Amino acid sequence: MKQRYYFCIRYLPERADFGLLAGRCISQMHKFIVNNQKAMNKIGVSFPNWESNSVGNTIAFVTEDKELLMGLSFQPYFSLMVQEELFYLSPVSPVPEEAPEVRFVRNQAIGKSFLGSKKRRIKRSVNRAELYGAKRVPEANEERDFDHFHRTPISSGSSGQGFVLHIQKEWMCERALTNFNSYGLATNQDKRGTVPDLRF
């Protein structure tokens, strides 16, 4: 497989909301991808300092295309945060060969288990049932357990609405083909790319 490259952003304030800052960085990458179709599905996100209680104070972006990564690293938001001494931005560097592989997965099923989401889906089901003349709305048994995850708030550039990415970390035995969603994450189904664990 091709050589991969990465750069890291470390959040400098000690008491920062790391999940919020990670969401803002992912939003910038998402905008970059939407405006540059060459980047679609090719940039992965890694959290080098992921812990049980936090996504950690660092986010990394990984891809096989060094020039693409250079373009992402020069986004105005990142430059502003560096200038304000809120971010440290590393140079674009080759991924060390010995780095173990991980997968950061956006698990949308987690979001569906929260009360607000359940209420919205019940309301849609009732509306559909009334539209098609059904006598009753089927009840769903949705009690599920999920492995450890972190919540990262993000805002949609198209709708302006905020939502939450529920992210889980999986340890992998080997590198998988580069294939990520537009937020740089794997999914439970078709996007199954892995990234290096760049713990510093």
Side-chain angles (χ1 to χ4, degrees), residues 28-40 75:
Q28 293 302 309
M29 186 207 66
H30 177 73
K31 288 177 194 171
F32 178 78
I33 288 174
V34 168
N35 293 317
N36 185 349
Q37 290 299 306
K38 181 185 173 190
M40 189 58 74
Q75 291 306 291

Side-chain angles (χ1 to χ4, degrees), residues 52-71:
S52 60
N53 62 346
S54 166
V55 293
N57 67 344
T58 308
I59 189 170
F61 299 98
V62 181
T63 185
E64 295 171 354
D65 189 329
K66 187 176 182 180
E67 288 184 17
L68 199 63
L69 207 57
M70 294 287 287

Side-chain angles (χ1 to χ4, degrees), residues 63-191:
T63 185
E64 295 171 354
D65 189 329
K66 187 176 182 180
E67 288 184 17
L68 199 63
L69 207 57
M70 294 287 287
L72 175 60
S73 73
F74 283 108
Q75 291 306 291
Y77 173 75
F78 297 153
S79 300
L80 175 65
M81 296 297 271
V82 168
Q83 184 181 341
E84 296 290 326
E85 299 183 351
L86 298 171
F87 283 0
Y88 162 77
L89 196 145
S90 78
V92 172
S93 304
V95 169
E97 286 185 24
E98 67 277 8
E101 289 297 305
V102 291
R103 180 180 285 140
F104 290 98
V105 180
R106 179 189 183 190
N107 189 342
Q108 290 183 271
I110 295 172
K112 290 179 180 178
S113 69
F114 290 103
L115 188 59
S117 175
K118 287 182 180 180
K119 285 181 177 177
R120 285 190 297 274
R121 284 180 290 122
I122 288 170
K123 186 175 179 182
R124 282 196 301 266
S125 295
V126 168
N127 290 342
R128 277 196 303 271
E130 289 174 354
L131 183 66
Y132 295 110
K135 302 235 187 249
R136 70 177 191 86
V137 178
E139 292 181 21
N141 180 5
E142 294 188 338
E143 294 304 318
R144 296 176 66 179
D145 289 326
F146 295 101
D147 291 334
H148 177 262
F149 64 90
H150 286 308
R151 298 165 51 105
T152 301
I154 195 167
S155 59
S156 169
S158 55
S159 70
Q161 296 293 313
F163 61 98
V164 174
L165 298 175
H166 295 90
I167 304 172
Q168 295 177 299
K169 180 178 182 177
E170 299 174 355
W171 289 96
M172 306 305 298
C173 295
E174 59 185 7
R175 179 177 167 185
L177 289 173
T178 300
N179 192 12
F180 306 98
N181 67 14
S182 61
Y183 299 104
L185 301 166
T187 65
N188 287 328
Q189 295 173 332
D190 56 332
K191 310 295 183 198

